[in-house]
Amino acid sequence: MNLKSNEPFWLTKNGLKQAYPSVSEDISTDIIIVGAGITGSLIAHQSIKDGYQTMVIDRRDVANGSTSATTSMLQYEIDVPLFKLKKQIGDEAAVESYRACLKAIKKLKKIIKESNASCGFEYKKSLYFSAYKKDVAWLKEEFETRKKEGFKVRWLEASQIEKKFEIKNSYGGILSKHGGSMEAFSLCHDLLHYNVEKGLKVFDKTTILDTKYEEDGVKILTGQNHTITAKKIIYCNGYESDEIIQEKFVDLLSTYALVSEQNEKLPKKLNKTLVWNTAQPYLYLRTTDDNRLLVGGEDVEFINGKKRDELIPYKTDKLEAKLKNLFPDFDFKTDYAWAGTFGETKDGLPYIGSHSEFKNALFVLGFGGNGIVFSVLGMKIISDLLKNKNNKLAHYFRFGR
């Protein structure tokens, strides 16, 4: 599957940071991770820390799938609001999922410091505002729900949002204390490089022709006609997992993003705040560490890469117009525009754990706007499952729920 258009900003900005070989011989290992994106790099980091002989393979260059197209907004807020998620999966499961995402942002900061990664990580606040007057009532219910559960939130009226963030035409919203942003492309490369020095094996441009799930492990035949045997296989291939799992468990969507030219006159408060709204699909924006404004949204059902990319000029115009409505005095000049593919689940939660049809296989599939945060949660979940330990989040994120 073509997961992105040809010119995502992060790939253009950072280039090919490290290069890795394809598989050129038969290999045996404890764990094989399929997918050398941000999820695969995080799971590999945990696997090496846990003492497993680990290798990562990818059909592309490292970080050249969805990781090069992500906007890397780090939020504890799940795409399904907390008050709605409670009704779907129960109070305890919903609140614990939200709290786990909050903790994951702090854990990610520790991982970045530990690996000395240069990915521009910053803690930020998060503003979730009403795009329409009709949304105010339920958004206030969401505010009260989060406040009751101990999350650090404030309600801002439209006038306060305009004064504080220079955003016009809102109808009030929730300001959350916890959030963050970074460059996932850079972190992925730096984290893999850090663990290669600790024994991790990384192979790119390696396709899988066949996988046999056996009682004592898995056996892979690569496109280069080499065999990889492992005790466990961990799929970190996101939306491409639908090529393996036949059941429909995720809806694929196309999303669009723009990055402005560098501009020293960005609204200052935006430098420390993630912004998104209640529209369906929602609009989101943040600044980058080199004084650009990133805006995204305009999601549509994914059909194929060609049709998705043909819409980029049209979606660029739409996003620019929506941004102009919020910031009429800001001179936004698009420097990069791209499209990517992502997935949405019925409850906004990931799928992490085993699947009944695949022996000795585990999956870490973080969908929606919280993909990176869910991948951080996957580190602990997978670590526990490999050690046959119970993990409550694994129950919430299981297949067949």
PDB file of all heavy atoms in Angstrom, residues 74-79 85 94-108 151 178-180 348-350 369-377 393 397:
ATOM      1  N   LEU A  74       1.280  14.986  19.880  1.00  0.00           N
ATOM      2  CA  LEU A  74       1.260  14.023  20.984  1.00  0.00           C
ATOM      3  C   LEU A  74       0.177  14.442  21.974  1.00  0.00           C
ATOM      4  O   LEU A  74       0.321  15.417  22.699  1.00  0.00           O
ATOM      5  CB  LEU A  74       2.623  13.983  21.672  1.00  0.00           C
ATOM      6  CG  LEU A  74       3.819  13.722  20.740  1.00  0.00           C
ATOM      7  CD1 LEU A  74       5.130  13.902  21.495  1.00  0.00           C
ATOM      8  CD2 LEU A  74       3.731  12.344  20.109  1.00  0.00           C
ATOM      9  N   GLN A  75      -0.918  13.683  22.000  1.00  0.00           N
ATOM     10  CA  GLN A  75      -2.059  14.050  22.830  1.00  0.00           C
ATOM     11  C   GLN A  75      -2.496  12.876  23.700  1.00  0.00           C
ATOM     12  O   GLN A  75      -2.433  11.727  23.277  1.00  0.00           O
ATOM     13  CB  GLN A  75      -3.234  14.475  21.947  1.00  0.00           C
ATOM     14  CG  GLN A  75      -2.960  15.713  21.116  1.00  0.00           C
ATOM     15  CD  GLN A  75      -4.049  15.929  20.083  1.00  0.00           C
ATOM     16  OE1 GLN A  75      -4.082  15.291  19.042  1.00  0.00           O
ATOM     17  NE2 GLN A  75      -4.962  16.844  20.376  1.00  0.00           N
ATOM     18  N   TYR A  76      -2.937  13.191  24.909  1.00  0.00           N
ATOM     19  CA  TYR A  76      -3.570  12.158  25.722  1.00  0.00           C
ATOM     20  C   TYR A  76      -5.024  12.011  25.324  1.00  0.00           C
ATOM     21  O   TYR A  76      -5.671  11.006  25.611  1.00  0.00           O
ATOM     22  CB  TYR A  76      -3.456  12.481  27.220  1.00  0.00           C
ATOM     23  CG  TYR A  76      -4.383  13.571  27.703  1.00  0.00           C
ATOM     24  CD1 TYR A  76      -5.671  13.265  28.148  1.00  0.00           C
ATOM     25  CD2 TYR A  76      -3.990  14.901  27.731  1.00  0.00           C
ATOM     26  CE1 TYR A  76      -6.531  14.258  28.605  1.00  0.00           C
ATOM     27  CE2 TYR A  76      -4.836  15.899  28.175  1.00  0.00           C
ATOM     28  CZ  TYR A  76      -6.104  15.571  28.609  1.00  0.00           C
ATOM     29  OH  TYR A  76      -6.955  16.551  29.042  1.00  0.00           O
ATOM     30  N   GLU A  77      -5.554  13.033  24.656  1.00  0.00           N
ATOM     31  CA  GLU A  77      -6.954  13.032  24.230  1.00  0.00           C
ATOM     32  C   GLU A  77      -7.140  12.080  23.057  1.00  0.00           C
ATOM     33  O   GLU A  77      -6.493  12.211  22.022  1.00  0.00           O
ATOM     34  CB  GLU A  77      -7.370  14.441  23.824  1.00  0.00           C
ATOM     35  CG  GLU A  77      -7.252  15.428  24.970  1.00  0.00           C
ATOM     36  CD  GLU A  77      -6.654  16.749  24.544  1.00  0.00           C
ATOM     37  OE1 GLU A  77      -5.545  16.749  24.005  1.00  0.00           O
ATOM     38  OE2 GLU A  77      -7.313  17.780  24.757  1.00  0.00           O
ATOM     39  N   ILE A  78      -8.011  11.122  23.225  1.00  0.00           N
ATOM     40  CA  ILE A  78      -8.311  10.131  22.193  1.00  0.00           C
ATOM     41  C   ILE A  78      -9.347  10.719  21.249  1.00  0.00           C
ATOM     42  O   ILE A  78     -10.120  11.599  21.613  1.00  0.00           O
ATOM     43  CB  ILE A  78      -8.787   8.827  22.877  1.00  0.00           C
ATOM     44  CG1 ILE A  78      -7.629   8.254  23.718  1.00  0.00           C
ATOM     45  CG2 ILE A  78      -9.280   7.795  21.877  1.00  0.00           C
ATOM     46  CD1 ILE A  78      -8.053   7.175  24.694  1.00  0.00           C
ATOM     47  N   ASP A  79      -9.385  10.237  20.012  1.00  0.00           N
ATOM     48  CA  ASP A  79     -10.312  10.792  19.022  1.00  0.00           C
ATOM     49  C   ASP A  79     -11.772  10.698  19.462  1.00  0.00           C
ATOM     50  O   ASP A  79     -12.597  11.516  19.043  1.00  0.00           O
ATOM     51  CB  ASP A  79     -10.130  10.080  17.683  1.00  0.00           C
ATOM     52  CG  ASP A  79      -8.872  10.535  16.952  1.00  0.00           C
ATOM     53  OD1 ASP A  79      -8.248  11.508  17.404  1.00  0.00           O
ATOM     54  OD2 ASP A  79      -8.510   9.916  15.937  1.00  0.00           O
ATOM     55  N   LEU A  85     -16.604   7.806  25.243  1.00  0.00           N
ATOM     56  CA  LEU A  85     -15.866   6.549  25.396  1.00  0.00           C
ATOM     57  C   LEU A  85     -16.345   5.787  26.626  1.00  0.00           C
ATOM     58  O   LEU A  85     -16.412   4.548  26.619  1.00  0.00           O
ATOM     59  CB  LEU A  85     -14.364   6.833  25.488  1.00  0.00           C
ATOM     60  CG  LEU A  85     -13.433   5.615  25.398  1.00  0.00           C
ATOM     61  CD1 LEU A  85     -13.619   4.879  24.078  1.00  0.00           C
ATOM     62  CD2 LEU A  85     -11.971   6.039  25.569  1.00  0.00           C
ATOM     63  N   ALA A  94     -12.325   3.586  30.016  1.00  0.00           N
ATOM     64  CA  ALA A  94     -12.163   4.863  29.321  1.00  0.00           C
ATOM     65  C   ALA A  94     -11.183   5.778  30.044  1.00  0.00           C
ATOM     66  O   ALA A  94     -10.258   6.336  29.437  1.00  0.00           O
ATOM     67  CB  ALA A  94     -13.517   5.551  29.174  1.00  0.00           C
ATOM     68  N   VAL A  95     -11.368   5.920  31.348  1.00  0.00           N
ATOM     69  CA  VAL A  95     -10.497   6.814  32.125  1.00  0.00           C
ATOM     70  C   VAL A  95      -9.069   6.293  32.147  1.00  0.00           C
ATOM     71  O   VAL A  95      -8.105   7.059  31.991  1.00  0.00           O
ATOM     72  CB  VAL A  95     -11.046   6.986  33.556  1.00  0.00           C
ATOM     73  CG1 VAL A  95     -10.065   7.773  34.419  1.00  0.00           C
ATOM     74  CG2 VAL A  95     -12.393   7.707  33.529  1.00  0.00           C
ATOM     75  N   GLU A  96      -8.904   4.995  32.326  1.00  0.00           N
ATOM     76  CA  GLU A  96      -7.550   4.430  32.349  1.00  0.00           C
ATOM     77  C   GLU A  96      -6.867   4.579  30.996  1.00  0.00           C
ATOM     78  O   GLU A  96      -5.650   4.783  30.936  1.00  0.00           O
ATOM     79  CB  GLU A  96      -7.594   2.964  32.775  1.00  0.00           C
ATOM     80  CG  GLU A  96      -7.899   2.790  34.260  1.00  0.00           C
ATOM     81  CD  GLU A  96      -7.565   1.394  34.763  1.00  0.00           C
ATOM     82  OE1 GLU A  96      -6.822   0.667  34.075  1.00  0.00           O
ATOM     83  OE2 GLU A  96      -8.037   1.043  35.856  1.00  0.00           O
ATOM     84  N   SER A  97      -7.613   4.485  29.914  1.00  0.00           N
ATOM     85  CA  SER A  97      -7.026   4.677  28.588  1.00  0.00           C
ATOM     86  C   SER A  97      -6.540   6.106  28.422  1.00  0.00           C
ATOM     87  O   SER A  97      -5.435   6.357  27.917  1.00  0.00           O
ATOM     88  CB  SER A  97      -8.048   4.331  27.503  1.00  0.00           C
ATOM     89  OG  SER A  97      -8.390   2.962  27.535  1.00  0.00           O
ATOM     90  N   TYR A  98      -7.344   7.069  28.853  1.00  0.00           N
ATOM     91  CA  TYR A  98      -6.935   8.475  28.783  1.00  0.00           C
ATOM     92  C   TYR A  98      -5.715   8.739  29.668  1.00  0.00           C
ATOM     93  O   TYR A  98      -4.759   9.409  29.250  1.00  0.00           O
ATOM     94  CB  TYR A  98      -8.100   9.385  29.200  1.00  0.00           C
ATOM     95  CG  TYR A  98      -8.892   9.938  28.040  1.00  0.00           C
ATOM     96  CD1 TYR A  98      -9.704   9.112  27.265  1.00  0.00           C
ATOM     97  CD2 TYR A  98      -8.835  11.286  27.713  1.00  0.00           C
ATOM     98  CE1 TYR A  98     -10.439   9.618  26.200  1.00  0.00           C
ATOM     99  CE2 TYR A  98      -9.575  11.807  26.652  1.00  0.00           C
ATOM    100  CZ  TYR A  98     -10.368  10.963  25.897  1.00  0.00           C
ATOM    101  OH  TYR A  98     -11.087  11.464  24.842  1.00  0.00           O
ATOM    102  N   ARG A  99      -5.743   8.228  30.881  1.00  0.00           N
ATOM    103  CA  ARG A  99      -4.614   8.459  31.792  1.00  0.00           C
ATOM    104  C   ARG A  99      -3.336   7.804  31.278  1.00  0.00           C
ATOM    105  O   ARG A  99      -2.237   8.346  31.425  1.00  0.00           O
ATOM    106  CB  ARG A  99      -4.969   7.931  33.186  1.00  0.00           C
ATOM    107  CG  ARG A  99      -5.957   8.819  33.924  1.00  0.00           C
ATOM    108  CD  ARG A  99      -6.310   8.251  35.280  1.00  0.00           C
ATOM    109  NE  ARG A  99      -7.254   9.137  35.984  1.00  0.00           N
ATOM    110  CZ  ARG A  99      -8.057   8.749  36.952  1.00  0.00           C
ATOM    111  NH1 ARG A  99      -8.047   7.473  37.355  1.00  0.00           N
ATOM    112  NH2 ARG A  99      -8.878   9.600  37.532  1.00  0.00           N
ATOM    113  N   ALA A 100      -3.476   6.628  30.684  1.00  0.00           N
ATOM    114  CA  ALA A 100      -2.301   5.941  30.150  1.00  0.00           C
ATOM    115  C   ALA A 100      -1.669   6.755  29.026  1.00  0.00           C
ATOM    116  O   ALA A 100      -0.433   6.834  28.923  1.00  0.00           O
ATOM    117  CB  ALA A 100      -2.697   4.555  29.644  1.00  0.00           C
ATOM    118  N   CYS A 101      -2.489   7.390  28.194  1.00  0.00           N
ATOM    119  CA  CYS A 101      -1.961   8.225  27.116  1.00  0.00           C
ATOM    120  C   CYS A 101      -1.211   9.435  27.668  1.00  0.00           C
ATOM    121  O   CYS A 101      -0.176   9.837  27.129  1.00  0.00           O
ATOM    122  CB  CYS A 101      -3.096   8.674  26.197  1.00  0.00           C
ATOM    123  SG  CYS A 101      -3.782   7.359  25.176  1.00  0.00           S
ATOM    124  N   LEU A 102      -1.731  10.003  28.743  1.00  0.00           N
ATOM    125  CA  LEU A 102      -1.052  11.138  29.380  1.00  0.00           C
ATOM    126  C   LEU A 102       0.328  10.714  29.884  1.00  0.00           C
ATOM    127  O   LEU A 102       1.330  11.395  29.648  1.00  0.00           O
ATOM    128  CB  LEU A 102      -1.912  11.673  30.526  1.00  0.00           C
ATOM    129  CG  LEU A 102      -1.526  13.013  31.136  1.00  0.00           C
ATOM    130  CD1 LEU A 102      -2.756  13.675  31.745  1.00  0.00           C
ATOM    131  CD2 LEU A 102      -0.463  12.849  32.198  1.00  0.00           C
ATOM    132  N   LYS A 103       0.382   9.568  30.553  1.00  0.00           N
ATOM    133  CA  LYS A 103       1.656   9.067  31.070  1.00  0.00           C
ATOM    134  C   LYS A 103       2.619   8.727  29.937  1.00  0.00           C
ATOM    135  O   LYS A 103       3.836   8.854  30.081  1.00  0.00           O
ATOM    136  CB  LYS A 103       1.420   7.841  31.949  1.00  0.00           C
ATOM    137  CG  LYS A 103       0.684   8.154  33.250  1.00  0.00           C
ATOM    138  CD  LYS A 103       0.398   6.876  34.026  1.00  0.00           C
ATOM    139  CE  LYS A 103      -0.400   7.176  35.302  1.00  0.00           C
ATOM    140  NZ  LYS A 103      -0.762   5.922  36.025  1.00  0.00           N
ATOM    141  N   ALA A 104       2.074   8.283  28.806  1.00  0.00           N
ATOM    142  CA  ALA A 104       2.918   7.877  27.684  1.00  0.00           C
ATOM    143  C   ALA A 104       3.709   9.049  27.113  1.00  0.00           C
ATOM    144  O   ALA A 104       4.840   8.873  26.647  1.00  0.00           O
ATOM    145  CB  ALA A 104       2.059   7.241  26.599  1.00  0.00           C
ATOM    146  N   ILE A 105       3.132  10.246  27.134  1.00  0.00           N
ATOM    147  CA  ILE A 105       3.856  11.420  26.637  1.00  0.00           C
ATOM    148  C   ILE A 105       5.090  11.675  27.500  1.00  0.00           C
ATOM    149  O   ILE A 105       6.182  11.969  26.994  1.00  0.00           O
ATOM    150  CB  ILE A 105       2.935  12.656  26.619  1.00  0.00           C
ATOM    151  CG1 ILE A 105       1.763  12.426  25.666  1.00  0.00           C
ATOM    152  CG2 ILE A 105       3.717  13.906  26.203  1.00  0.00           C
ATOM    153  CD1 ILE A 105       0.701  13.510  25.715  1.00  0.00           C
ATOM    154  N   LYS A 106       4.928  11.534  28.822  1.00  0.00           N
ATOM    155  CA  LYS A 106       6.071  11.712  29.728  1.00  0.00           C
ATOM    156  C   LYS A 106       7.105  10.603  29.524  1.00  0.00           C
ATOM    157  O   LYS A 106       8.317  10.853  29.567  1.00  0.00           O
ATOM    158  CB  LYS A 106       5.579  11.719  31.176  1.00  0.00           C
ATOM    159  CG  LYS A 106       4.651  12.885  31.500  1.00  0.00           C
ATOM    160  CD  LYS A 106       4.147  12.822  32.940  1.00  0.00           C
ATOM    161  CE  LYS A 106       3.219  13.982  33.243  1.00  0.00           C
ATOM    162  NZ  LYS A 106       2.690  13.947  34.634  1.00  0.00           N
ATOM    163  N   LYS A 107       6.634   9.394  29.290  1.00  0.00           N
ATOM    164  CA  LYS A 107       7.565   8.287  29.045  1.00  0.00           C
ATOM    165  C   LYS A 107       8.347   8.511  27.763  1.00  0.00           C
ATOM    166  O   LYS A 107       9.548   8.224  27.692  1.00  0.00           O
ATOM    167  CB  LYS A 107       6.804   6.964  28.974  1.00  0.00           C
ATOM    168  CG  LYS A 107       7.720   5.764  28.738  1.00  0.00           C
ATOM    169  CD  LYS A 107       6.976   4.444  28.746  1.00  0.00           C
ATOM    170  CE  LYS A 107       7.938   3.284  28.496  1.00  0.00           C
ATOM    171  NZ  LYS A 107       7.250   1.973  28.514  1.00  0.00           N
ATOM    172  N   LEU A 108       7.668   9.036  26.758  1.00  0.00           N
ATOM    173  CA  LEU A 108       8.343   9.296  25.492  1.00  0.00           C
ATOM    174  C   LEU A 108       9.477  10.298  25.670  1.00  0.00           C
ATOM    175  O   LEU A 108      10.554  10.148  25.086  1.00  0.00           O
ATOM    176  CB  LEU A 108       7.332   9.818  24.470  1.00  0.00           C
ATOM    177  CG  LEU A 108       7.834  10.012  23.044  1.00  0.00           C
ATOM    178  CD1 LEU A 108       8.360   8.712  22.460  1.00  0.00           C
ATOM    179  CD2 LEU A 108       6.721  10.577  22.166  1.00  0.00           C
ATOM    180  N   PHE A 151      -8.247  15.466  35.316  1.00  0.00           N
ATOM    181  CA  PHE A 151      -7.378  16.005  34.270  1.00  0.00           C
ATOM    182  C   PHE A 151      -7.323  17.528  34.396  1.00  0.00           C
ATOM    183  O   PHE A 151      -8.320  18.181  34.719  1.00  0.00           O
ATOM    184  CB  PHE A 151      -7.907  15.605  32.888  1.00  0.00           C
ATOM    185  CG  PHE A 151      -7.830  14.130  32.627  1.00  0.00           C
ATOM    186  CD1 PHE A 151      -8.952  13.331  32.802  1.00  0.00           C
ATOM    187  CD2 PHE A 151      -6.640  13.531  32.239  1.00  0.00           C
ATOM    188  CE1 PHE A 151      -8.895  11.960  32.577  1.00  0.00           C
ATOM    189  CE2 PHE A 151      -6.565  12.170  32.013  1.00  0.00           C
ATOM    190  CZ  PHE A 151      -7.699  11.371  32.185  1.00  0.00           C
ATOM    191  N   HIS A 178      -1.653  19.131  29.245  1.00  0.00           N
ATOM    192  CA  HIS A 178      -0.686  18.126  28.792  1.00  0.00           C
ATOM    193  C   HIS A 178      -0.790  17.834  27.298  1.00  0.00           C
ATOM    194  O   HIS A 178      -1.866  17.576  26.769  1.00  0.00           O
ATOM    195  CB  HIS A 178      -0.898  16.835  29.573  1.00  0.00           C
ATOM    196  CG  HIS A 178      -0.709  16.999  31.048  1.00  0.00           C
ATOM    197  ND1 HIS A 178       0.530  17.176  31.620  1.00  0.00           N
ATOM    198  CD2 HIS A 178      -1.602  17.047  32.065  1.00  0.00           C
ATOM    199  CE1 HIS A 178       0.397  17.305  32.927  1.00  0.00           C
ATOM    200  NE2 HIS A 178      -0.878  17.234  33.219  1.00  0.00           N
ATOM    201  N   GLY A 179       0.354  17.888  26.630  1.00  0.00           N
ATOM    202  CA  GLY A 179       0.472  17.534  25.225  1.00  0.00           C
ATOM    203  C   GLY A 179       1.928  17.676  24.815  1.00  0.00           C
ATOM    204  O   GLY A 179       2.805  17.954  25.645  1.00  0.00           O
ATOM    205  N   GLY A 180       2.194  17.498  23.548  1.00  0.00           N
ATOM    206  CA  GLY A 180       3.571  17.636  23.087  1.00  0.00           C
ATOM    207  C   GLY A 180       3.649  17.503  21.581  1.00  0.00           C
ATOM    208  O   GLY A 180       2.679  17.179  20.894  1.00  0.00           O
ATOM    209  N   GLY A 348     -11.806   4.519  18.846  1.00  0.00           N
ATOM    210  CA  GLY A 348     -10.641   5.399  18.877  1.00  0.00           C
ATOM    211  C   GLY A 348      -9.412   4.768  19.497  1.00  0.00           C
ATOM    212  O   GLY A 348      -8.371   5.423  19.606  1.00  0.00           O
ATOM    213  N   LEU A 349      -9.492   3.501  19.900  1.00  0.00           N
ATOM    214  CA  LEU A 349      -8.394   2.826  20.588  1.00  0.00           C
ATOM    215  C   LEU A 349      -7.588   1.959  19.621  1.00  0.00           C
ATOM    216  O   LEU A 349      -8.084   1.571  18.554  1.00  0.00           O
ATOM    217  CB  LEU A 349      -8.937   1.972  21.735  1.00  0.00           C
ATOM    218  CG  LEU A 349      -9.679   2.737  22.838  1.00  0.00           C
ATOM    219  CD1 LEU A 349     -10.238   1.760  23.880  1.00  0.00           C
ATOM    220  CD2 LEU A 349      -8.776   3.770  23.495  1.00  0.00           C
ATOM    221  N   PRO A 350      -6.369   1.617  19.999  1.00  0.00           N
ATOM    222  CA  PRO A 350      -5.523   0.791  19.133  1.00  0.00           C
ATOM    223  C   PRO A 350      -5.868  -0.692  19.265  1.00  0.00           C
ATOM    224  O   PRO A 350      -6.700  -1.072  20.105  1.00  0.00           O
ATOM    225  CB  PRO A 350      -4.122   1.053  19.695  1.00  0.00           C
ATOM    226  CG  PRO A 350      -4.362   1.241  21.167  1.00  0.00           C
ATOM    227  CD  PRO A 350      -5.677   1.990  21.251  1.00  0.00           C
ATOM    228  N   GLY A 369      -5.490   9.731  15.743  1.00  0.00           N
ATOM    229  CA  GLY A 369      -4.600  10.839  16.046  1.00  0.00           C
ATOM    230  C   GLY A 369      -3.597  10.556  17.143  1.00  0.00           C
ATOM    231  O   GLY A 369      -2.682  11.346  17.372  1.00  0.00           O
ATOM    232  N   ASN A 370      -3.738   9.428  17.840  1.00  0.00           N
ATOM    233  CA  ASN A 370      -2.850   9.089  18.952  1.00  0.00           C
ATOM    234  C   ASN A 370      -1.880   7.974  18.612  1.00  0.00           C
ATOM    235  O   ASN A 370      -1.389   7.274  19.496  1.00  0.00           O
ATOM    236  CB  ASN A 370      -3.670   8.655  20.181  1.00  0.00           C
ATOM    237  CG  ASN A 370      -4.554   9.748  20.698  1.00  0.00           C
ATOM    238  OD1 ASN A 370      -5.478  10.164  20.019  1.00  0.00           O
ATOM    239  ND2 ASN A 370      -4.284  10.226  21.900  1.00  0.00           N
ATOM    240  N   GLY A 371      -1.595   7.755  17.347  1.00  0.00           N
ATOM    241  CA  GLY A 371      -0.795   6.606  16.941  1.00  0.00           C
ATOM    242  C   GLY A 371       0.527   6.471  17.668  1.00  0.00           C
ATOM    243  O   GLY A 371       0.896   5.382  18.116  1.00  0.00           O
ATOM    244  N   ILE A 372       1.269   7.561  17.800  1.00  0.00           N
ATOM    245  CA  ILE A 372       2.583   7.505  18.446  1.00  0.00           C
ATOM    246  C   ILE A 372       2.427   7.217  19.936  1.00  0.00           C
ATOM    247  O   ILE A 372       3.154   6.387  20.497  1.00  0.00           O
ATOM    248  CB  ILE A 372       3.355   8.821  18.231  1.00  0.00           C
ATOM    249  CG1 ILE A 372       3.633   9.024  16.732  1.00  0.00           C
ATOM    250  CG2 ILE A 372       4.670   8.813  19.013  1.00  0.00           C
ATOM    251  CD1 ILE A 372       4.202  10.381  16.388  1.00  0.00           C
ATOM    252  N   VAL A 373       1.481   7.881  20.576  1.00  0.00           N
ATOM    253  CA  VAL A 373       1.235   7.658  22.001  1.00  0.00           C
ATOM    254  C   VAL A 373       0.819   6.207  22.249  1.00  0.00           C
ATOM    255  O   VAL A 373       1.284   5.556  23.188  1.00  0.00           O
ATOM    256  CB  VAL A 373       0.174   8.638  22.522  1.00  0.00           C
ATOM    257  CG1 VAL A 373      -0.238   8.292  23.945  1.00  0.00           C
ATOM    258  CG2 VAL A 373       0.696  10.075  22.468  1.00  0.00           C
ATOM    259  N   PHE A 374      -0.040   5.668  21.391  1.00  0.00           N
ATOM    260  CA  PHE A 374      -0.447   4.273  21.528  1.00  0.00           C
ATOM    261  C   PHE A 374       0.746   3.330  21.361  1.00  0.00           C
ATOM    262  O   PHE A 374       0.812   2.279  22.004  1.00  0.00           O
ATOM    263  CB  PHE A 374      -1.516   3.930  20.485  1.00  0.00           C
ATOM    264  CG  PHE A 374      -2.870   4.527  20.765  1.00  0.00           C
ATOM    265  CD1 PHE A 374      -3.718   4.865  19.719  1.00  0.00           C
ATOM    266  CD2 PHE A 374      -3.311   4.748  22.065  1.00  0.00           C
ATOM    267  CE1 PHE A 374      -4.970   5.396  19.956  1.00  0.00           C
ATOM    268  CE2 PHE A 374      -4.565   5.291  22.317  1.00  0.00           C
ATOM    269  CZ  PHE A 374      -5.399   5.619  21.258  1.00  0.00           C
ATOM    270  N   SER A 375       1.674   3.690  20.495  1.00  0.00           N
ATOM    271  CA  SER A 375       2.865   2.855  20.303  1.00  0.00           C
ATOM    272  C   SER A 375       3.726   2.813  21.558  1.00  0.00           C
ATOM    273  O   SER A 375       4.321   1.781  21.882  1.00  0.00           O
ATOM    274  CB  SER A 375       3.684   3.374  19.116  1.00  0.00           C
ATOM    275  OG  SER A 375       2.938   3.279  17.918  1.00  0.00           O
ATOM    276  N   VAL A 376       3.794   3.953  22.256  1.00  0.00           N
ATOM    277  CA  VAL A 376       4.528   3.973  23.532  1.00  0.00           C
ATOM    278  C   VAL A 376       3.852   3.040  24.533  1.00  0.00           C
ATOM    279  O   VAL A 376       4.516   2.283  25.241  1.00  0.00           O
ATOM    280  CB  VAL A 376       4.613   5.410  24.092  1.00  0.00           C
ATOM    281  CG1 VAL A 376       5.281   5.414  25.459  1.00  0.00           C
ATOM    282  CG2 VAL A 376       5.386   6.312  23.134  1.00  0.00           C
ATOM    283  N   LEU A 377       2.526   3.069  24.586  1.00  0.00           N
ATOM    284  CA  LEU A 377       1.804   2.138  25.463  1.00  0.00           C
ATOM    285  C   LEU A 377       2.078   0.696  25.055  1.00  0.00           C
ATOM    286  O   LEU A 377       2.166  -0.205  25.895  1.00  0.00           O
ATOM    287  CB  LEU A 377       0.300   2.416  25.406  1.00  0.00           C
ATOM    288  CG  LEU A 377      -0.172   3.779  25.895  1.00  0.00           C
ATOM    289  CD1 LEU A 377      -1.688   3.877  25.791  1.00  0.00           C
ATOM    290  CD2 LEU A 377       0.273   4.030  27.327  1.00  0.00           C
ATOM    291  N   LEU A 393      -4.381  -2.855  30.091  1.00  0.00           N
ATOM    292  CA  LEU A 393      -4.571  -2.171  28.819  1.00  0.00           C
ATOM    293  C   LEU A 393      -4.665  -3.170  27.669  1.00  0.00           C
ATOM    294  O   LEU A 393      -5.379  -2.924  26.683  1.00  0.00           O
ATOM    295  CB  LEU A 393      -3.432  -1.186  28.559  1.00  0.00           C
ATOM    296  CG  LEU A 393      -3.392   0.060  29.438  1.00  0.00           C
ATOM    297  CD1 LEU A 393      -2.161   0.894  29.107  1.00  0.00           C
ATOM    298  CD2 LEU A 393      -4.648   0.899  29.280  1.00  0.00           C
ATOM    299  N   PHE A 397      -7.425  -3.136  24.656  1.00  0.00           N
ATOM    300  CA  PHE A 397      -6.974  -2.950  23.284  1.00  0.00           C
ATOM    301  C   PHE A 397      -6.990  -4.244  22.465  1.00  0.00           C
ATOM    302  O   PHE A 397      -6.423  -4.309  21.391  1.00  0.00           O
ATOM    303  CB  PHE A 397      -5.556  -2.366  23.269  1.00  0.00           C
ATOM    304  CG  PHE A 397      -5.395  -1.052  23.982  1.00  0.00           C
ATOM    305  CD1 PHE A 397      -4.131  -0.600  24.356  1.00  0.00           C
ATOM    306  CD2 PHE A 397      -6.477  -0.246  24.283  1.00  0.00           C
ATOM    307  CE1 PHE A 397      -3.958   0.619  25.014  1.00  0.00           C
ATOM    308  CE2 PHE A 397      -6.327   0.972  24.955  1.00  0.00           C
ATOM    309  CZ  PHE A 397      -5.062   1.399  25.319  1.00  0.00           C
TER     310      PHE A 397
END
